Amino acid sequence: PPETRAPARTHSGPAPVTDVAKLCVCDLLVAQCDVNCCCDPDCSAADFSLFTTCSVPIVTGDSRLCSQKAAIYSLDVEANPPERIFKLIDQVNPSLFCIHATNYKEALSFRSPQMPTSENFDQLLKEFEGVTFSAEPDSWNMNTDAQSPSDANETYRYEYGVPIQTVDAFLRLPSPVVSSWCSDANPAGFLVNQATKCTRSVSVETCGNIQAVSMLFYINSSILAVPKSSQMVNITVQSVVVQSLNGMWTLLNSSDVLRLPMILDELCINIVLGVSYHITYTDAGEIIEAAASFVLGAINKEALSIQQSFEISFTQVNTKPVPLSGNPGYVVGLPVRAGFRPQGYPFPVEILFNTNKYGQLTVLQSTSNQDCLAAQGARTPVLFGYNMVSGCKLRITAAMKCQPLTQTLLDLLKGQTFPEYVASFGNSRAQDVLDWVPITHFQTSEQRIYNTFQSSCQIPISLEIEVKWTKYGSLVNPQARIVNVTATITTTTLKQLPSGRERTIPITSSVVFTDISSPAEPGYKAWPTINVKLPFDFFFPFV
């Protein structure tokens, strides 16, 4: 009988995790259309007709995959009105080294890894000491249909920028849109710190009927702990401040009382002038606490409008809140963050923030009398992008000793605790050690500092800090990243002064920011390089 063979089994890879049709890197504004962003879901056909080009013509997932979907965007300028054209194609990676599928499930989420300590090191070593950490996933089924992309994209955690959902809609953060008037259609994005001010029309006669001036409008809807869940987090009132007509603030002892707008003696009191939300979340993207602080005020019959201010901030649970200087890149005018690397590596493996109030890089602060001895301890933070010069004058007498004078000047220039590291991004976390740039120290003179003041003495007179930064990421929205920091101490030789003589020398500090970004060449595409050793018989039988 003729030989029969079993039908060959097909081994299909998993469905793509990233739906490129829903991925849009130029969508920066929440619930608003971004100009020339052809993949922005908030843009309508009328918006597309006004576009001049597509700022992002092609959207793909991981470029290292062997095969993936690619979303192509273009404009049909010959149509009347112009229309956006969208195509979804299959793109094949021609590289010999490509990834067939991402089979490490944990790499698809942004859960913070467990940091090694002296207590859990042995347990982590047993877990990760092998060659591989996980086998082929169960989702690679034989002779079964691939998982639908909609199911693969289902998420049960908040991600950056996703609107915070409530029971009825989303958490509102009113803001001005076209004019200065308030719009309540602006959703608060997860991990997006915002501060807005807008104007709202109100009068004494109608203040009780306007929802947006009542405390209840901002706390009556519970927040969903994670998207599309039944677990809810109530918004608690953290504090209530009452502002009088002359601008004086009074903090109420009890914040449990709900104060609603009411008319009293031709005044409308308890109207909301400001709301500040504070959200506490876990590293798994779950909201566990929500608090609101209010500023209430009053208006008289002459008032036709009020100015309201709104703010929202986020803090991860079990972490010390530290003000950010950008997210992720530095923002011009915000302090440069700095810290120390503790002794005893590898435990603990994190950066300790500087001992000043907010963990910032600081320099000598100039004073009105220009006296260096009176300026000891006065420091000012280094602001990103701002070149700075400060200084003072030091009066030296013949009675001063060399070594104490040298130490006094070093403490004056560098402060009591000069940091060792600077954060490369405005939102670098303490546990991400690789996100911190070490400060390189230089000294212009190699002469030793004399222990006595017999003939001459080498003293520091200036500190020069140079911060080199570059534009990082997409050309559409580049982020400022610090890549190098140097601190140079300049010394001078001070000879012995005759008895009764004095000398005044200037002491200066300076900070210079240098942009070392290389300009992008039009039409140039850099090919990725792979540092890998090929097997010895890779080209067999060829030499």
Side-chain angles (χ1 to χ4, degrees):
E3 183 181 355
T4 60
R5 296 183 180 181
R9 294 186 302 172
T10 59
H11 191 177
S12 60
V17 177
T18 302
D19 186 1
V20 293
K22 299 180 180 179
L23 186 64
C24 189
V25 296
C26 58
D27 183 10
L28 306 178
L29 301 177
V30 179
Q32 297 183 40
C33 178
D34 293 80
V35 179
N36 289 339
C37 183
C38 295
C39 56
D40 192 343
D42 300 318
C43 297
S44 62
D47 297 325
F48 291 135
S49 65
L50 301 177
F51 286 4
T52 58
T53 184
C54 289
S55 58
V56 180
I58 180 172
V59 178
T60 59
D62 193 341
S63 60
R64 298 171 296 177
L65 292 176
C66 298
S67 177
Q68 62 176 322
K69 295 288 185 179
I72 307 297
Y73 297 92
S74 61
L75 292 177
D76 184 5
V77 294
E78 296 182 357
N80 189 16
E83 299 176 349
R84 184 200 69 168
I85 301 176
F86 169 73
K87 295 180 180 179
L88 192 63
I89 64 173
D90 292 320
Q91 191 177 57
V92 178
N93 188 353
S95 175
L96 183 63
F97 300 96
C98 60
I99 300 175
H100 174 64
T102 53
N103 60 352
Y104 185 44
K105 293 181 179 180
E106 296 183 5
L108 303 177
S109 63
F110 293 95
R111 183 184 297 271
S112 299
Q114 187 176 2
M115 302 304 298
T117 63
S118 55
E119 288 78 17
N120 65 1
F121 182 79
D122 293 335
Q123 179 262 330
L124 293 178
L125 182 62
K126 292 179 181 179
E127 183 179 354
F128 296 103
E129 66 179 349
V131 178
T132 179
F133 306 148
S134 62
E136 192 175 77
D138 298 334
S139 60
W140 288 29
N141 298 324
M142 308 293 288
N143 295 323
T144 58
D145 296 333
Q147 183 183 4
S148 64
S150 60
D151 295 336
N153 284 315
E154 194 71 24
T155 178
Y156 295 98
R157 65 180 182 275
Y158 280 109
E159 298 178 351
Y160 176 81
V162 174
I164 298 177
Q165 298 181 12
T166 60
V167 176
D168 51 358
F170 49 81
L171 183 63
R172 300 178 179 88
L173 197 71
S175 64
V177 181
V178 179
S179 61
S180 61
W181 298 103
C182 294
S183 172
D184 297 325
N186 178 44
F190 184 65
L191 297 185
V192 181
N193 296 327
Q194 298 185 62
T196 62
K197 288 184 179 181
C198 56
T199 305
R200 193 177 298 274
S201 177
V202 64
S203 64
V204 173
E205 293 78 10
T206 61
C207 69
N209 301 325
I210 302 177
Q211 294 183 349
V213 298
S214 172
M215 289 180 58
L216 193 61
F217 179 74
Y218 301 97
I219 61 173
N220 64 345
S221 184
S222 299
I223 294 176
L224 301 187
V226 292
K228 302 179 181 179
S229 72
S230 58
Q231 184 180 357
M232 296 177 292
V233 178
N234 295 327
I235 302 176
T236 60
V237 179
Q238 190 174 36
S239 64
V240 177
V241 174
V242 176
Q243 177 179 308
S244 62
L245 289 176
N246 58 5
M248 182 177 295
W249 283 18
T250 303
L251 177 64
L252 300 183
N253 295 328
S254 177
S255 59
D256 298 333
V257 180
L258 184 63
R259 294 175 173 260
L260 300 178
M262 59 181 297
I263 300 176
L264 180 65
D265 296 335
E266 298 184 349
L267 296 177
C268 183
I269 62 174
N270 298 333
I271 63 173
V272 174
L273 299 180
V275 183
S276 179
Y277 290 108
H278 186 76
I279 308 296
T280 304
Y281 67 97
T282 66
D283 58 355
E286 178 184 358
I287 295 177
I288 58 175
E289 290 182 7
S293 301
F294 289 89
V295 176
L296 305 181
I299 59 171
N300 52 28
K301 287 188 174 182
E302 286 75 19
L304 300 177
S305 63
I306 59 173
Q307 185 181 57
Q308 293 180 309
S309 61
F310 302 93
E311 185 178 355
I312 186 170
S313 59
F314 298 85
T315 301
Q316 186 173 334
V317 66
N318 297 328
T319 60
K320 181 181 179 181
V322 177
L324 302 181
S325 296
N327 193 14
Y330 275 97
V331 176
V332 175
L334 295 184
V336 175
R337 305 169 67 223
F340 301 89
R341 180 71 172 272
Q343 300 296 327
Y345 177 81
F347 308 113
V349 284
E350 65 177 21
I351 298 295
L352 298 180
F353 288 109
N354 202 358
T355 54
N356 60 45
K357 185 176 181 181
Y358 294 122
Q360 301 164 353
L361 182 64
T362 62
V363 293
L364 169 68
Q365 182 178 1
S366 300
T367 58
S368 57
N369 56 11
Q370 292 292 302
D371 185 2
C372 288
L373 298 181
Q376 282 186 305
R379 312 288 295 178
T380 184
V382 175
L383 305 181
F384 182 82
Y386 285 10
N387 296 336
M388 307 170 62
V389 177
S390 61
C392 58
K393 294 182 180 180
L394 178 65
R395 184 171 59 90
I396 300 177
T397 62
M400 291 184 174
K401 302 298 182 180
C402 178
Q403 187 174 9
L405 177 62
T406 301
Q407 188 61 45
T408 300
L409 290 178
L410 283 177
D411 293 342
L412 182 69
L413 290 172
K414 303 176 68 174
Q416 295 293 332
T417 52
F418 194 76
E420 301 172 351
Y421 290 83
V422 166
S424 58
F425 292 102
N427 66 346
S428 297
R429 300 183 302 174
Q431 60 265 35
D432 298 332
V433 181
L434 297 180
D435 272 357
W436 293 77
V437 178
I439 300 177
T440 305
H441 296 269
F442 294 102
Q443 188 169 334
T444 57
S445 176
E446 296 181 355
Q447 300 182 23
R448 296 181 57 187
I449 300 177
Y450 297 97
N451 294 327
T452 61
F453 204 5
Q454 296 176 348
S455 57
S456 62
C457 179
Q458 201 80 5
I459 62 172
I461 59 172
S462 70
L463 170 65
E464 301 174 2
I465 300 177
E466 183 181 15
V467 181
K468 295 181 180 179
W469 65 280
T470 182
K471 297 181 180 69
Y472 180 84
S474 171
L475 295 176
V476 179
N477 185 27
Q479 302 294 311
R481 175 187 182 184
I482 294 178
V483 295
N484 182 266
V485 180
T486 58
T488 304
I489 292 287
T490 302
T491 61
T492 187
T493 302
L494 187 64
K495 296 182 179 180
Q496 176 68 46
L497 292 174
S499 178
R501 295 287 299 276
E502 295 182 355
R503 182 181 178 184
T504 302
I505 59 174
I507 306 297
T508 60
S509 295
S510 63
V511 181
V512 176
F513 286 84
T514 305
D515 183 3
I516 61 172
S517 304
S518 57
E521 300 180 11
Y524 174 77
K525 180 179 180 181
W527 291 94
T529 58
I530 302 177
N531 185 15
V532 61
K533 184 177 180 180
L534 296 176
F536 70 96
D537 57 350
F538 183 80
F539 294 103
F540 181 83
F542 305 100
V543 177

